[in-house]
């Protein structure tokens, strides 16, 4: 993940029959708010070698995708709900070369304590339309270091009931002989990988062993119907040989000498017609480390290893199956002036780059850049200090096995590629296009839907003027992460946003088109929550690291002592003087424009309020979600009623009412008791007396505690959900 977005919007409405304590479901039409592609790291792209056009991509926090004929992608794991949020961490994928209808995904988010779940092999027999989970007895780390290595999951090309999976954390190599249904460890492999990027990392992220890095079958060995005898395996070991071969279908293994033992083998790619294995290596596991490395060709018949590196430090690796000797590699992390990709048509004897210096500072770029599908991604709009077109974290690089012109590669932000790759060899000028349409891989921390202007603004950094079209630009100034947004209730074109960097506050007075305003006095403060008074004069900032701060009339932020650090805050949307705050079980009210707060009502036995929202039409009509339920006050927070049946609530939002005189529709991400309830997303049109469930088995939205909601005040029934990865 690098930055943040994805949300969903709904449209239609059919309420099913309801009984007393039965929560009816409503069929909602969910769609991605379009961003045009990407937003985060795409560590793996795999083409099926047997079915033309069949390819999949995996992401580190947003699940897996299937490529469509029109270059767009379809998400496969949107069913993952709060109980299996870890499914969106996709550490490896394998598409069956014998039966292309079969797809396997190795899923799980973290191997440390952040993720309680063991990993899973998700098995599909219909190219990802449906999956059967096969639980693993260890964790899988789709968002862990080294996730661009691989693929560490592979299907035997001669006997597709046989699969191998290379585990992390020292669990070694595993084999299934029944199409992934059950797995046993291959204990004959001499190493499970001892390398960890930083053994002293107490979080358990960089101290975890990277493990088995890839499994590559030699399809030229053996015969159809019998397990392939020759198998290559890369292992994250440093200081000893770390590429192994078996010639007896995994019974025994031997290390192959001749590679660089100081480096980790990132990719092992077979070139069957050359009888060769190409290997790329780096001194880091990636994606963010790794500064030197190389590319090697292993000639299988003679057993010789040749260093064919174009320069040191290349990782993404692919071959053209139709053109033996055509090899491409991408730099893992070439940060300046841009990423780099090389192509060879003579098995790595000579290489040509995708750009070269004419003479500093002039670059010859041997490509035409096309970001029309996601204009915000381009160098004119992205974080300008990087000013990169080709990308970074470039590990997934593939040539379509049926089309030498079609290539794709994943970056830290998107997928690029094109359909005229052979021009590299003729005119040395290809089209490089952003091709991640349909891939949405951002973590959305806040959403607002003001009563006028664009219907949606997302903390990812987008003004969504048309939900069906990719945004043209990021908010300017662009920050790596916006964490909260608010609008002034009586002056809704006045907006404020806060970022996770020090002093990152910006103000817009044109509905989010431009953000020229800043406020001084808080240069060390960052993140947290932001609220702006109804007339836009006062900004209350419950910062993440410097406590509550307030600014009036653009004066510098000053500390506010009457509410504790970490308070959840909100501004009234009508009364210019009223602000609200909550900490623990205490609710606080300010009637003097956030100059001072007094504790008023109690939120039951809550320990952790999540969100305060305010009826835009009625001062003092407030809702608070907490770890102990959903609370409603109609008297400025003096007293609260706990909403019956809700035992815990996360995001909440108020939208347009069902009837013109009715209360606002309230949406909540909550745990609701009753048949048909559980943890999910619900709407009430009668102030929480009864609820309908609005998500379904195909729309789980992942981790519920990560997801912001906002509801449209102009369109009854429409709600936006931001997710952590989709
Ligand atoms: C994970 O697998 C291990 C080994 O089988 C088992 O001991 C552990 O209970 C499992 N953890 C979970 C959360 O299922
Ligand atoms: C092997 O890796 C080490 C450590 O990065 C490096 O110093 C050395 O030059 C490499 N050897 C070759 C032959 O590339
Ligand atoms: C490649 O083509 C593009 C578009 O015509 C052009 O802008 C670019 O200068 C060309 N690159 C080189 C090195 O000639
Ligand atoms: C906004 O409201 C506050 C509180 O009523 C008031 O003091 C201030 O003058 C108002 N600002 C403007 C620009 O009207
Ligand atoms: C705003 O709220 C305060 C505190 O309740 C109240 O004194 C004041 O009259 C309100 N202002 C308006 C315009 O309603």
């Amino acid at each position: 993940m690098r930055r943040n977005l994805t949300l969903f919007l709904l449209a239609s409405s059919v309420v099913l029959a309801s009984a007393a304590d039965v929560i009816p479901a409503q069929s909602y039409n969910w769609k991605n708010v379009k961003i045009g592609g990407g937003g985060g790291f795409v560590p793996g792209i795999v083409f099926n070698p047997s079915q033309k056009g069949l390819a999949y991509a995996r992401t580190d926090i947003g699940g897996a995708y299937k490529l469509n004929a029109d270059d767009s992608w379809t998400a496969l794991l949107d069913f993952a709900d709060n109980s299996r949020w870890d499914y969106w961490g996709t550490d490896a994928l394998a598409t069956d070369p014998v039966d292309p209808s079969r797809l396997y995904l190795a899923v799980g988010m973290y191997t440390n304590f952040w993720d309680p779940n063991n990993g899973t092999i998700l098995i599909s027999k219909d190219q990802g339309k449906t999956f059967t989970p096969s639980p693993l007895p260890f964790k899988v780390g789709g968002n862990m270091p080294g996730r661009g290595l691989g693929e560490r999951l592979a299907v035997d090309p001669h006997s597709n009931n046989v699969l191998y999976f290379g585990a992390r954390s020292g669990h070694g190599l595993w084999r299934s002989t029944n199409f992934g249904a059950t797995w046993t460890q291959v204990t004959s492999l001499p190493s499970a990988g001892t390398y960890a990027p930083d053994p002293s990392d107490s979080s358990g992220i960089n101290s975890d062993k990277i493990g088995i890095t890839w499994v590559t079958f030699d399809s030229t060995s053996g015969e159809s119907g019998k397990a392939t005898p020759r198998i290559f395996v890369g292992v994250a070991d440093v200081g000893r040989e770390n590429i192994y071969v078996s010639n007896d279908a995994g019974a025994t293994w031997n290390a192959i000498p001749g590679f660089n033992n100081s480096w980790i083998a990132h990719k092992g790619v077979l070139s069957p017609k050359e009888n060769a294995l190409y290997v790329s290596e780096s001194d880091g596991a990636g994606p963010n480390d790794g500064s030197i490395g190389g590319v090697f060709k292993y000639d299988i018949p003679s057993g010789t290893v040749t260093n064919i590196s174009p320069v040191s430090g290349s990782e993404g690796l692919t071959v053209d199956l139709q053109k033996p000797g055509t090899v491409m590699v991408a730099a893992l992390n070439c940060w300046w002036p841009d990423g780099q990709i090389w192509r060879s048509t003579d098995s790595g004897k000579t290489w040509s780059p995708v750009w070269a210096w004419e003479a500093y500072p002039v670059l010859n770029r041997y490509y035409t850049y096309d970001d029309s599908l996601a204009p915000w991604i381009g160098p004119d709009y992205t974080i300008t200090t990087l000013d990169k077109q080709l990308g970074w974290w470039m590990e997934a690089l593939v040539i379509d096995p049926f089309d030498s012109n079609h290539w794709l590669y994943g970056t830290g932000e998107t997928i690029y590629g094109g359909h005229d790759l052979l021009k590299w060899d003729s005119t040395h000028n290809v089209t490089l296009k952003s091709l991640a349409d349909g891939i949405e891989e951002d973590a959305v921390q806040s959403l607002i839907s003001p009563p006028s202007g664009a219907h949606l603004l997302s903390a990812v950094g987008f003004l969504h003027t048309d939900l069906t079209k990719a945004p043209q630009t990021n908010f300017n100034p662009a920050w790596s992460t916006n964490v909260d947004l608010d609008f002034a209730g009586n002056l809704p074109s006045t907006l404020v946003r806060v970022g996770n960097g020090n002093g990152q506050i910006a103000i817009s007075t044109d509905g989010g088109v431009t953000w020229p305003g800043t406020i001084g006095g808080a240069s060390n403060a960052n993140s947290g929550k932001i609220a702006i008074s109804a007339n836009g004069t006062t900004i209350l900032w419950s910062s993440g690291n410097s406590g509550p701060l307030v600014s009036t009339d653009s004066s510098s932020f000053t500390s506010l002592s009457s509410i504790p650090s970490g308070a959840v805050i909100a501004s009234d949307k009508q009364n210019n003087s009223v602000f609200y705050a909550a900490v623990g079980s205490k609710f606080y009210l300010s009637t003097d424009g956030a100059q001072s707060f007094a504790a008023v009502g109690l939120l039951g036995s809550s320990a952790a309020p999540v969100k305060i929202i305010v009826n835009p039409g009625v001062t003092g009509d407030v809702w608070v979600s907490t770890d102990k339920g959903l609370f409603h006050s109609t008297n400025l927070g003096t007293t609260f009623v706990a909403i019956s049946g809700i035992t815990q609530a996360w995001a909440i939002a108020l939208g347009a009412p069902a009837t013109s005189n009715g209360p606002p529709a309230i949406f909540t991400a909550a745990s609701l008791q009753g048949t048909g309830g559980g943890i999910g997303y619900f709407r009430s049109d009668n102030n929480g007396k009864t609820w309908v469930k609005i998500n379904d088995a195909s729309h789980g939205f992942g981790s519920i505690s990560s997801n912001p909601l906002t509801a449209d005040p102009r369109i009854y029934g429409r709600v936006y959900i931001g997710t952590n990865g989709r």
Side-chain angles (χ1 to χ4, degrees), residues 505 519-523 525 538-543 546-563 593-597:
I505 290 279
I519 294 174
S523 56
T538 300
I539 293 174
L540 173 63
W541 180 9
S542 180
S543 74
S546 303
L549 303 161
V550 65
S551 161
T552 302
D553 289 325
S554 305
S555 67
S556 293
F557 278 105
T558 54
S559 288
L560 178 69
S561 60
S562 51
I563 46 172
Q595 301 311 298
S596 65
F597 279 84

Side-chain angles (χ1 to χ4, degrees), residues 490 572 574-578 580 589-592 619 636:
N490 292 328
D572 195 75
Q574 294 213 326
N575 187 311
N576 301 329
S577 306
V578 172
Y580 310 96
L589 176 69
S590 172
T591 56
D592 59 3
T619 293
L636 293 157

Side-chain angles (χ1 to χ4, degrees), residues 133-189:
S134 168
L136 294 169
F138 48 79
K139 292 184 177 186
V140 167
N143 198 27
M144 295 287 286
R147 55 201 184 273
L149 302 162
E151 295 290 323
R152 53 170 87 212
L153 180 63
V155 180
D156 191 314
H158 291 315
S159 188
N160 65 334
N161 57 310
V162 175
L163 287 90
Y164 283 79
F165 176 61
R168 293 173 175 271
S169 318
H171 294 294
L173 181 66
W174 291 67
R175 176 169 49 213
S176 171
T177 55
N178 53 10
F179 300 94
T182 58
W183 294 81
T184 48
Q185 191 175 356
V186 181
T187 52
S188 56
L189 187 70

Side-chain angles (χ1 to χ4, degrees), residues 1 38 40-44 57-65 77 87-93 106-109 142-143 147 415 439-441 725-726:
M1 169 189 78
F41 182 36
V42 180
R58 63 181 172 92
T59 69
D60 51 5
I61 62 165
Y65 296 80
L77 299 182
Y87 281 5
W88 284 355
T90 314
D91 208 12
L93 76 82
V107 296
M109 196 65 80
N143 198 27
R147 55 201 184 273
I415 292 173
I439 290 184
E440 306 271 341
E441 202 204 347
R726 269 290 298 139

Side-chain angles (χ1 to χ4, degrees), residues 10 14 36 89 104 111 131 150 154 188 202 381 423 428 462 547 563 634 651:
L10 77 81
V14 180
Y104 301 87
T111 58
F131 289 94
S188 56
S202 59
Y381 300 121
K423 283 192 181 163
H428 199 187
F462 293 131
I563 46 172
T634 53

Side-chain angles (χ1 to χ4, degrees), residues 258-263 281-283 291-294 296 307 309 312:
F259 297 97
N260 192 330
N261 294 351
S262 301
W263 292 339
E281 301 190 339
S282 168
D283 67 342
S291 53
I292 182 172
F296 299 85
N307 185 338
S309 308
S312 67

Side-chain angles (χ1 to χ4, degrees), residues 699-716:
H699 299 94
F701 303 118
S703 171
I704 201 161
S705 63
S706 307
N707 295 350
L709 294 178
T710 195
D712 202 305
R714 287 172 264 179
I715 301 172
Y716 167 66

